[in-house]
Amino acid sequence: MSAIVQADCLSRFYGMILGLNDVTFTVNPGITGVVGPNGAGKTTLFRLLTGQIQPSSGTLRVFGESPWNNPSIQGRIAYCPESEAVPEGLRPLDWLIGLGMISGFSAAEAHTHSREALDRVKLLPEHWKKPVTALSKGMKQRVKLAQCLLHAPALVILDEPMNGLDPMGREDMGNVLRQLARDGTSVIISSHILHDLEALCGEFLLLRWGRIPRSNQDAASPEARRRWPESTTFRCESPEQLARYFFDRHLLRGCEIVAESGLLHAQWRDAELFYGSFHQHLLESGVRIFEVRSTTSFLEKAIAPPPLL
Amino acid sequence: MSPTPSVPPAPRVAPNAGHALGGVWRLTARRLLAPAQWLPVLALLAGLAVLASAVIRDGNSRQYFNWAAGFYLTFLLPIMAFLSSGGAIRDDLKSGTVDYVLTRPVRRPVYLVFKFLSHLVCLQLLCLLGLAVMVGVGGFRHIPDFFPVLPWLLLGQVITVTAFAALGFLCGVITSKFLVIGLFYGAIIEAGVGNIPIQLNRLAMTHHVKAMLEPLLPHARAGLVADGPLATTAILLAYAAVMLAAAAVVFSLQELAGARPAEA
């Protein structure tokens, strides 16, 4: 599997301010999540990938070429920025037709592909002729995604595309991205909605303060993601009784009970021991369970700040 | 988990300059000629009509032509063309445009030229309305010898708008404070050097337009050395081409959105 993006000792500084600092990574085909707190360097990375800014040092290759000011690369990628800024006075269909023509389509082709793209992101036709600026945040996100789909790019780069989308919208967007990946299009996506990213992405790139900390990257490795969660939250009829059951079997390292909402936050001594006999434990406890969920996702763990010494 | 991808798809489309020009024109014209833009344009035209009617007296063709050549063509239009073009290219440097348009397969100098041509056509169309107002005022004030001069006024308008639109693009690409550069340029070159009776005054673009029009107007003043309409047109188009080329070079070397720390 050849990498679609390759960065070697890539840095980007803004005077004294650090954007990316000596990062080396590869991105393989498929859906890759870029995760990190605000200011981690995600948008800087995307602007480097789309050829809008140049590296301060190091090299960046997209499909084997430098993306800076390179139309042959720009013809194969599409970018959906985080910014909500969209051109004023334009309607989604007009905007997409114009962008499609700039990509190389004739007016008729651009019209056809624009309609297809707007259909694909499930923007209802009654919104196609309203000004883009008048659309809700979620609808704008759909239009922004649609403009990425026009020219069937080989790589789609999405900066926080889930912002402003309701759960159904996020599900729709996830389905579009999965379909893109099935069709052979690679996707690089950043989002603060980590559970969605976990469900969507095959690989992750974790950034912090412009770097890729090795420990964080290891924490998000496929091996780490196969491990059982170390803590679990139960919503049940009697959290005290459930906690007593787990304690008696030496499963718990610690727990917290929120009696009024019927919650038990359990931390396991050995998560595999519990999950290995998950059904048996829950049946034997005799407590009516309404909900079981992992308290922290592996991504949340991976990007959690290091403990203060 | 993401599905296993197959072979990346071939690009659906190859870059095409003609289609790209059509796309840029479409995005520019839909914004500039949108109904929402008509109100300020109509207000401006009404202001021009009122001002011209107030200044020009009935049948006074000298006053009319002095006003048309000295104020409308060489003061008002240059300012409007400069401001509109500088603002248009600054708008295109905002993330709302850069992120969507300049991440597509069109070379930046080519994009800038396409943008200039699209904006210029819209601007010329809007300025035709200004000339129509001037014609209306001429008719209203019963100006004699009016229609023979009209083609020259139109030519003067077209080349003035072209040259100052190119200047606006150049200043707009260089800095967001393009208005400051424009003020300095206008004060030093157009109003200062352009009015000194030495060869250096040919640096001023409005000087060429005045010099071209003056012999063609009734009651021509002596003293202005005219190059003739063809030469004047060639000179101003050459000025525009040089400024546009400089703007294209700056534009292609610039880092656009995300180049400043606040945008990182």
Side-chain angles (χ1 to χ4, degrees):
Chain A
M1 193 163 52
S2 61
I4 52 170
V5 175
Q6 186 142 21
D8 289 311
C9 307
L10 179 68
S11 297
R12 170 69 204 203
F13 299 99
Y14 304 94
M16 296 292 286
I17 297 172
L18 179 138
L20 279 178
N21 185 9
D22 196 26
V23 295
T24 297
F25 64 88
T26 55
V27 174
N28 293 312
I31 306 181
T32 301
V34 178
V35 185
N38 291 333
K42 302 188 292 292
T43 301
T44 298
L45 173 61
F46 290 159
R47 291 197 189 283
L48 285 162
L49 288 172
T50 52
Q52 295 186 65
I53 56 174
Q54 299 182 79
S56 301
S57 65
T59 58
L60 177 67
R61 293 262 177 266
V62 179
F63 298 116
E65 293 179 46
S66 165
W68 163 249
N69 229 340
N70 186 342
S72 79
I73 294 300
Q74 287 167 331
R76 302 177 69 186
I77 62 176
Y79 180 47
C80 174
E82 180 184 9
S83 161
E84 272 190 67
V86 283
E88 284 176 27
L90 287 173
R91 295 173 291 190
L93 194 57
D94 294 332
W95 189 38
L96 263 61
I97 291 172
L99 292 177
M101 290 176 76
I102 293 173
S103 288
F105 289 119
S106 67
E109 290 167 336
H111 193 268
T112 307
H113 292 308
S114 299
R115 296 181 78 92
E116 284 170 4
L118 289 170
D119 268 336
R120 195 167 174 186
V121 298
K122 297 188 178 171
L123 185 76
L124 298 174
E126 62 251 37
H127 301 307
W128 293 5
K129 297 205 166 175
K130 293 178 183 170
V132 187
T133 42
L135 299 178
S136 70
K137 197 172 178 182
M139 286 180 199
K140 268 187 216 157
Q141 293 288 35
R142 287 173 193 262
V143 179
K144 282 163 60 185
L145 177 63
Q147 61 85 28
C148 287
L149 308 177
L150 283 173
H151 56 297
L155 170 63
V156 176
I157 299 167
L158 305 158
D159 195 356
E160 302 286 350
M162 309 280 194
N163 282 0
L165 287 177
D166 56 25
M168 273 177 62
R170 299 210 305 271
E171 183 61 28
D172 288 343
M173 183 167 285
N175 289 336
V176 171
L177 299 183
R178 284 188 194 93
Q179 184 58 49
L180 281 175
R182 272 195 292 275
D183 295 343
T185 302
S186 295
V187 178
I188 298 178
I189 175 174
S190 76
S191 175
H192 289 299
I193 305 170
L194 300 180
H195 287 92
D196 284 349
L197 277 194
E198 282 181 28
L200 202 58
C201 300
E203 293 186 10
F204 293 91
L205 194 62
L206 273 67
L207 289 167
R208 176 188 293 282
W209 298 325
R211 302 196 69 121
I212 303 178
R214 188 166 189 83
S215 58
N216 291 29
Q217 201 61 35
D218 288 346
S221 67
E223 295 74 38
R225 288 155 55 194
R226 278 193 287 272
R227 288 178 209 137
W228 294 110
E230 288 170 15
S231 57
T232 311
T233 296
F234 299 89
R235 192 164 62 81
C236 57
E237 207 166 54
S238 171
E240 296 90 349
Q241 185 184 339
L242 190 61
R244 198 174 307 118
Y245 172 85
F246 290 144
F247 259 120
D248 290 347
R249 277 148 190 82
H250 304 289
L251 291 168
L252 282 186
R253 184 158 55 88
C255 74
E256 183 191 348
I257 293 170
V258 188
E260 56 271 26
S261 46
L263 291 178
L264 167 66
H265 303 294
Q267 288 181 298
W268 308 115
R269 278 179 195 280
D270 181 350
E272 207 167 340
L273 201 62
F274 168 73
Y275 282 103
S277 310
F278 176 83
H279 293 105
Q280 183 191 339
H281 286 309
L282 296 192
L283 284 170
E284 279 182 4
S285 71
V287 178
R288 276 186 72 190
I289 311 265
F290 305 119
E291 187 184 355
V292 180
R293 60 186 158 87
S294 157
T295 305
T296 54
S297 72
F298 75 90
L299 274 182
E300 281 168 345
K301 264 166 49 185
I303 66 166
L308 293 172
L309 297 174
Chain B
M1 298 290 287
S2 73
T4 310
S6 55
V7 180
R12 188 188 263 178
V13 61
N16 179 310
H19 294 163
L21 174 59
V24 176
W25 160 254
R26 200 179 179 100
L27 294 181
T28 306
R30 299 265 162 158
R31 289 173 74 179
L32 214 58
L33 304 178
Q37 302 292 329
W38 282 102
L39 199 62
V41 170
L42 290 176
L44 214 62
L45 292 173
L48 176 66
V50 169
L51 189 65
S53 305
V55 170
I56 298 159
R57 290 194 209 101
D58 276 345
N60 190 337
S61 62
R62 176 187 289 272
Q63 201 178 30
Y64 177 83
F65 289 117
N66 279 346
W67 202 80
F71 177 76
Y72 173 70
L73 272 188
T74 55
F75 180 77
L76 189 64
L77 275 187
I79 290 176
M80 299 309 299
F82 177 84
L83 289 179
S84 166
S85 305
I89 196 65
R90 285 317 301 178
D91 273 352
D92 270 20
L93 294 174
K94 290 179 185 164
S95 64
T97 303
V98 165
D99 285 333
Y100 301 104
V101 174
L102 294 173
T103 52
R104 290 178 188 276
V106 55
R107 291 196 177 277
R108 289 191 192 176
V110 174
Y111 174 78
L112 187 99
V113 172
F114 288 175
K115 178 73 186 178
F116 175 75
L117 292 175
S118 305
H119 188 78
L120 185 62
V121 170
C122 294
L123 208 53
Q124 298 284 12
L125 289 174
L126 293 174
C127 288
L128 278 180
L129 298 176
L131 193 62
V133 168
M134 290 301 296
V135 171
V137 171
F140 178 66
R141 289 298 185 194
H142 310 292
I143 304 296
D145 311 324
F146 173 72
F147 282 100
V149 181
L150 195 57
W152 303 114
L153 287 181
L154 179 61
L155 176 66
Q157 170 163 311
V158 168
I159 57 177
T160 301
V161 169
T162 304
F164 279 89
L167 178 66
F169 260 61
L170 175 59
C171 296
V173 163
I174 292 171
T175 173
S176 60
K177 297 178 177 62
F178 65 92
L179 188 57
V180 177
I181 300 184
L183 282 174
F184 274 105
Y185 171 83
I188 295 169
I189 304 294
E190 298 296 337
V193 173
N195 287 317
I196 302 171
I198 53 170
Q199 282 292 307
L200 209 58
N201 63 14
R202 295 166 73 86
L203 282 174
M205 294 189 285
T206 52
H207 171 82
H208 290 279
V209 179
K210 278 182 199 168
M212 177 188 83
L213 287 174
E214 191 67 28
L216 304 168
L217 300 179
H219 326 292
R221 275 185 298 158
L224 281 173
V225 180
D227 286 315
L230 201 65
T232 304
T233 305
I235 289 168
L236 284 198
L237 291 184
Y239 275 11
V242 169
M243 286 185 286
L244 199 60
V249 169
V250 175
F251 192 60
S252 58
L253 296 175
Q254 261 179 341
E255 288 189 328
L256 303 173
R260 291 180 291 278
E263 297 168 342

